Amino acid sequence: MDKNRINPIFVRTITLKNMGVVNFEDLFEAKLAKNDMIEPKDWMPENYRKHLIRQISQHAHSEIVGMLPEGNWITRAPSLRSKLVLLAKVQDEGGHGLYLYTAAESLGTSRDEMLDALLTGKAKYSSIFNYPTLTWADVGAVGWLVDGAAIMNQVMLQRTSYGPYARAMVRICKEESFHQRQGYELMTHLAFGTPAQKEMAQDALNRWWYPTLMMFGPPDIESPNSENAIKWRIKRETNDQLRQRFVNQSMPQIEYLGLTVPDKNLKWNEAKKGYDFSEPDWTEFKAVIKGNGPCNKERLASRNKSHAEGAWVREAATVYAKKQNENYEAA
Ligand code: BYC
């Protein structure tokens, strides 16, 4: 090991030409205060690093597991055009997972550790992907509502304090925006189609509404991670703020489709310039994130099967990389 290399975990201060002795933590705080990004080689508090690994790896897992519910419909898409669009969308989600795993790796964890946590059921991923996609309308509802909720949450993450995460989110948001439009387009065709198609669209909205509201996480008073996330500028808005904005933004779209929300309490509140609405069933949410949702077992089994079937690809890639390295060193 290079003796002159600073190990940021043990060294707490640095002497700078114009500033004298400076504490790393003060530098970190000063960067946050100036809205500067924290980069992989910067000093950072251990809890900040752990918080990011938790959130980014969960986010990556969500993208990868999120390929499954819609992936189920690729072979059953009703036209060549819709099949191509859905294929592209699902493939994008795989790409998002890869950018995010790479961002998490820059914090000192490994792909193997993260995948192991996912495949053994230790790691969380978004609750939403433990619900089944029963009809073709669900593909529309997922694109429109689920990707719509994802964008609502992810726009702020483009300005999150950790550089690699923020930069990954810029591209992800652009692609999510296309996903949301493809979902809404699909719902438009159904909602303005035959009575049976409209009924299918309404049924999908009925089933996906509350699970989508759960995506934003528990209410702020029950969100243990929010305080640090806001303090460190990892999250810039709270779970409840984003959930409220999502409802406000979705209502005109739902009304345009001529559909209704399965919530008798939903009404415009002029005083707060937003909608009042019923909370999702938080008992159900807790059960789903503990592994007891409608599809948790199926999703994990599916990921484990793919991982096992892909073993030969990983082995071949490792041998190939080793050979390339040897050739490079020999040259
Ligand atoms: N599902 O203190 P809280 C997508 C957990 S994928 C499961 O509020 P935080 C897409 C939370 O992890 C979209 N677990 O946490 C892909 C924590 O447990 P731990 C995914 C949830 O982190 C394919 C505990 O509950 N987006 O776009 O401050 C196709 C307490 O919560 C959920 C992201 O991952 C949930 N819904 O806030 C289509 C965005 N909610 O870890 C679309 C990045 C909470 O302490 N993540 N939990 O054991 C975030 O912004 C935040 O992590 C969350 C939660 C808002 C999700």
Side-chain angles (χ1 to χ4, degrees), residues 82-98:
S82 57
K83 189 195 279 277
L84 285 173
V85 172
L86 185 57
L87 257 175
K89 194 234 179 218
V90 171
Q91 194 169 307
D92 282 351
E93 308 297 359
H96 298 173
L98 298 185

Side-chain angles (χ1 to χ4, degrees), residues 94-106:
H96 298 173
L98 298 185
Y99 319 148
L100 290 165
Y101 282 129
T102 309
E105 280 175 315
S106 71

Side-chain angles (χ1 to χ4, degrees), residues 23-85:
N23 183 298
F24 278 132
E25 190 147 12
D26 293 341
L27 278 181
F28 172 82
E29 294 295 344
K31 276 196 160 192
L32 286 185
K34 277 199 296 174
N35 267 336
D36 282 354
M37 300 276 179
I38 308 297
E39 296 297 340
K41 288 189 175 165
D42 290 345
W43 184 93
M44 60 186 82
E46 190 52 14
N47 284 342
Y48 173 83
R49 196 179 69 83
K50 285 191 178 144
H51 189 117
L52 280 169
I53 291 178
R54 176 192 66 84
Q55 177 168 324
I56 303 173
S57 62
Q58 285 178 6
H59 194 165
H61 300 327
S62 305
E63 301 283 357
I64 300 296
V65 178
M67 296 168 79
L68 297 171
E70 288 169 285
N72 278 342
W73 281 90
I74 292 172
T75 53
R76 289 173 285 166
S79 68
L80 180 59
R81 178 184 181 273
S82 57
K83 189 195 279 277
L84 285 173
V85 172

Side-chain angles (χ1 to χ4, degrees), residues 51 54-70 89-90 93-94 96 100 122 124-130 142-143 146-151 153-154 156-157 165 169 172 176 179 211-220 222-227 229 234-235 237-239 242 282 285 288-289:
H51 189 117
R54 176 192 66 84
Q55 177 168 324
I56 303 173
S57 62
Q58 285 178 6
H59 194 165
H61 300 327
S62 305
E63 301 283 357
I64 300 296
V65 178
M67 296 168 79
L68 297 171
E70 288 169 285
K89 194 234 179 218
V90 171
E93 308 297 359
H96 298 173
L100 290 165
K122 272 188 253 153
K124 289 194 175 76
Y125 57 83
S126 184
S127 49
I128 194 76
F129 301 118
N130 293 307
V142 169
V146 174
D147 286 80
I151 302 173
N153 168 282
Q154 291 171 1
M156 69 168 177
L157 294 175
Y165 192 22
M169 291 318 301
I172 292 178
E176 296 291 14
H179 299 169
T212 302
L213 296 187
M214 293 175 193
M215 281 178 74
F216 296 95
D220 291 351
E222 290 172 32
S223 163
N225 299 300
S226 278
E227 192 183 335
I234 294 171
K235 287 201 313 204
E237 285 175 280
T238 71
N239 301 357
L242 292 168
W282 293 114
F285 170 77
V288 174
I289 67 173

Side-chain angles (χ1 to χ4, degrees), residues 157-178:
L157 294 175
Q158 294 177 104
R159 294 178 300 121
T160 193
S161 58
Y162 187 57
Y165 192 22
R167 290 188 285 275
M169 291 318 301
V170 173
R171 177 159 174 187
I172 292 178
C173 280
K174 288 196 176 118
E175 291 176 352
E176 296 291 14
S177 162
F178 150 68

